Amino acid sequence: MLENVIRQKISDAIKRGKVDCTLRFDPDQGDTGEIRVNRERAVRVIDAARALATAEDAFSAINPLEIMRWPGVIERETIDLDVVGTALLALLDRALAMVVDSRRVEGEKIAEMIRTRSDEVSAIANRLQAEMPAIVEAVRDKLKTRVAELTSELDPDRLEQEIVLLAQKMDVAEELDRLNAHVSEVRRALDSSKPIGRRLDFLMQELNREANTLGSKSADLSMTGASVNLKVLIEQMREQIQNIE
């Protein structure tokens, strides 16, 4: 009778995840020690047992305890479901408060971890951004040396065109800007009082997309290493975000 109310209370308290709620009611039989027996029903059960024993030529003694176990032989007090429901919902509220408090403490630890990993992501992006001119120059020198080894006839203009095209393919300025923008959104979400789990899930997907693009544009070991390190940090955050509401 309280299932809908209970479902609503749980969904109000916990916005994300699967919840198993078990409620058990053990009626108090009272401390008077009095056992009330419905003698009329007990007699009918005994008579039926004797009739069956006679019909089957079985004359084993009737066990009184077995008779008492028969439904309706022991009379129980009528339970006031309204009183039980009030107590049950009060208990549920206390249990939910304990769950929410536990999740809050765990959430604070997870949020701190995500902030730390976000700072590391920003540090990698900023470091790579500062290193990009040197990386492009190193690739330029390597390409010139390689071309010189392969042919003695070097067309400077054609080589410069190829270098410009390569530099354009290596340009990751937009990816790095988006990485930092997504990290800012992660920090902003962590400061929100609303449920943020699904939003953080989406942001991790976007961060991972940019990290993959960095890897695909890599023409240098430092860029490859940065992409790998970014993906490790993002995966660490993504795993913990599954526990965030």
Side-chain angles (χ1 to χ4, degrees), residues 22-62:
T22 301
L23 299 167
R24 187 179 67 252
F25 173 55
D26 295 325
D28 184 2
Q29 299 302 322
D31 56 4
T32 62
E34 179 184 359
I35 299 178
R36 295 189 296 178
V37 178
N38 186 327
R39 294 186 177 276
E40 182 180 348
R41 180 178 290 271
V43 169
R44 290 204 300 269
V45 173
I46 292 170
D47 289 344
R50 284 175 175 167
L52 182 62
T54 300
E56 299 294 333
D57 294 328
F59 299 96
S60 59
I62 297 175

Side-chain angles (χ1 to χ4, degrees), residues 59-79:
F59 299 96
S60 59
I62 297 175
N63 188 337
L65 291 178
E66 293 295 332
I67 300 300
M68 293 174 67
R69 292 193 184 99
W70 192 266
V73 172
I74 299 299
E75 294 182 340
R76 304 183 186 278
E77 293 184 6
T78 302
I79 298 172

Side-chain angles (χ1 to χ4, degrees), residues 23-227:
L23 299 167
R24 187 179 67 252
F25 173 55
D26 295 325
D28 184 2
Q29 299 302 322
D31 56 4
T32 62
E34 179 184 359
I35 299 178
R36 295 189 296 178
V37 178
N38 186 327
R39 294 186 177 276
E40 182 180 348
R41 180 178 290 271
V43 169
R44 290 204 300 269
V45 173
I46 292 170
D47 289 344
R50 284 175 175 167
L52 182 62
T54 300
E56 299 294 333
D57 294 328
F59 299 96
S60 59
I62 297 175
N63 188 337
L65 291 178
E66 293 295 332
I67 300 300
M68 293 174 67
R69 292 193 184 99
W70 192 266
V73 172
I74 299 299
E75 294 182 340
R76 304 183 186 278
E77 293 184 6
T78 302
I79 298 172
D80 188 335
L81 295 181
D82 289 335
V83 173
V84 172
T86 300
L88 185 150
L89 293 178
L91 181 62
L92 177 64
D93 286 340
R94 292 201 298 273
L96 285 173
M98 292 172 64
V99 170
V100 170
D101 187 62
S102 175
R103 285 162 62 89
R104 178 186 57 78
V105 172
E106 181 185 9
E108 289 174 353
K109 294 178 181 178
I110 294 175
E112 185 58 34
M113 185 279 288
I114 293 175
R115 287 190 179 94
T116 300
R117 299 296 188 277
S118 297
D119 291 342
E120 294 178 30
V121 168
S122 287
I124 291 174
N126 293 334
R127 183 168 62 250
L128 187 58
Q129 200 163 31
E131 292 174 353
M132 281 307 298
I135 291 174
V136 172
E137 188 62 31
V139 172
R140 180 196 301 266
D141 293 341
K142 187 184 298 183
L143 182 60
K144 286 182 178 179
T145 301
R146 184 61 175 161
V147 170
E149 292 174 351
L150 294 175
T151 178
S152 58
E153 297 180 3
L154 184 63
D155 183 349
D157 293 336
R158 176 64 184 276
L159 178 61
E160 194 60 34
Q161 290 176 1
E162 293 298 327
I163 291 174
V164 170
L165 290 175
L166 182 60
Q168 290 175 347
K169 291 180 180 179
M170 290 175 56
D171 184 13
V172 291
E174 290 186 6
E175 286 79 4
L176 296 176
D177 286 342
R178 285 195 292 268
L179 270 172
N180 280 322
H182 295 327
V183 167
S184 296
E185 283 300 314
V186 170
R187 294 188 181 116
R188 188 176 296 111
L190 290 173
D191 291 333
S192 173
S193 59
K194 298 179 180 179
I196 59 172
R198 289 185 176 85
R199 179 166 182 76
L200 288 177
D201 260 341
F202 170 76
L203 289 171
M204 291 304 111
Q205 293 175 21
E206 294 302 305
L207 284 169
N208 197 56
R209 194 194 316 277
E210 304 305 335
N212 284 332
T213 304
L214 285 176
S216 66
K217 290 187 174 183
S218 174
D220 180 86
L221 286 177
S222 61
M223 289 180 67
T224 301
S227 173

